[in-house]
Amino acid sequence: GAQFEEDITPFPYIRVTDFYDFTVDPSSIKYISTDLHEVIKRYVISVSDVYISIAGTIGLTGTIPEKLDGANLTENAARITQINGVNNRFLAYFLGSNLAQTQISTLIGTTTQPKLALERIEQIRVLIPHYEEQLRIIEVLNGVIASIDKLQKEQKKLVSLKQGLMQ
């Protein structure tokens, strides 16, 4: 793994554990030194790309938030760059769908360290509706994810309230 710095540097490093809800949770982002960034600078990702985890928990997918544009990406994930006519958020959602996840499961090597090889990612068949339809799908799924997030926060509050009352 990478050597992380104690202090914040200009080089955020995104790990698979930072992937959350089709994006990146910035709360525990690590940072690397200028020297290490120089060595791994081809592993950077932009807001127009889509990430997919290829080792560890395989098949986690999403887009990069604005404030992490140009961050270094773990070698345990691959970066998928712009595909003509495909919205990157739509692609992330599609890759997270059962249809794509089933394909990903069959593409993972059956070695002791399962890994999704880069050339296998290219074999995933993506169903691409018209751009307007992609935007409608994104809008619906963004709403669903926001609702789930809200419910999870409410649940956490209720659990801690219950624990407080039980004491």
Side-chain angles (χ1 to χ4, degrees), residues 17-78:
T17 54
D18 300 316
F19 296 168
Y20 175 76
D21 265 357
F22 293 96
T23 186
V24 175
D25 175 6
S27 64
S28 57
I29 285 287
K30 300 288 186 197
Y31 294 86
I32 58 172
S33 67
T34 308
D35 293 347
L36 183 55
H37 171 75
E38 281 307 310
V39 175
I40 64 170
K41 67 176 174 220
R42 53 191 205 96
Y43 286 99
V44 296
I45 189 161
S46 82
V47 290
S48 60
D49 298 328
V50 170
Y51 65 73
I52 183 167
S53 57
I54 58 171
T57 309
I58 296 173
L60 296 176
T61 174
T63 56
I64 300 297
E66 204 65 55
K67 65 179 173 192
L68 289 172
D69 189 27
N72 290 90
L73 182 67
T74 171
E75 66 279 6
N76 293 328

Side-chain angles (χ1 to χ4, degrees), residues 2 5 10 20 44-45 48 56 69 84 89 100 108-109 134 142 150 163:
E5 296 297 304
Y20 175 76
V44 296
I45 189 161
S48 60
D69 189 27
N84 279 341
R89 190 81 180 157
I108 296 169
Q134 290 178 43
N142 282 348
K150 197 172 156 189
Q163 285 170 343

Side-chain angles (χ1 to χ4, degrees), residues 94-150:
F94 179 81
L95 290 172
S97 73
N98 286 343
L99 187 61
Q101 291 290 314
T102 304
Q103 293 181 64
I104 289 167
S105 296
T106 61
L107 294 170
I108 296 169
T110 51
T111 57
T112 48
Q113 280 291 352
K115 217 172 164 84
L116 179 59
L118 297 179
E119 57 274 7
R120 294 208 173 133
I121 294 172
E122 293 171 352
Q123 295 171 26
I124 299 168
R125 299 187 60 91
V126 181
L127 300 175
I128 306 166
H130 289 288
Y131 203 76
E132 293 71 37
E133 184 67 15
Q134 290 178 43
L135 297 179
R136 280 198 292 275
I137 292 168
I138 290 166
E139 200 176 329
V140 169
L141 290 173
N142 282 348
V144 168
I145 287 176
S147 297
I148 290 170
D149 221 36
K150 197 172 156 189

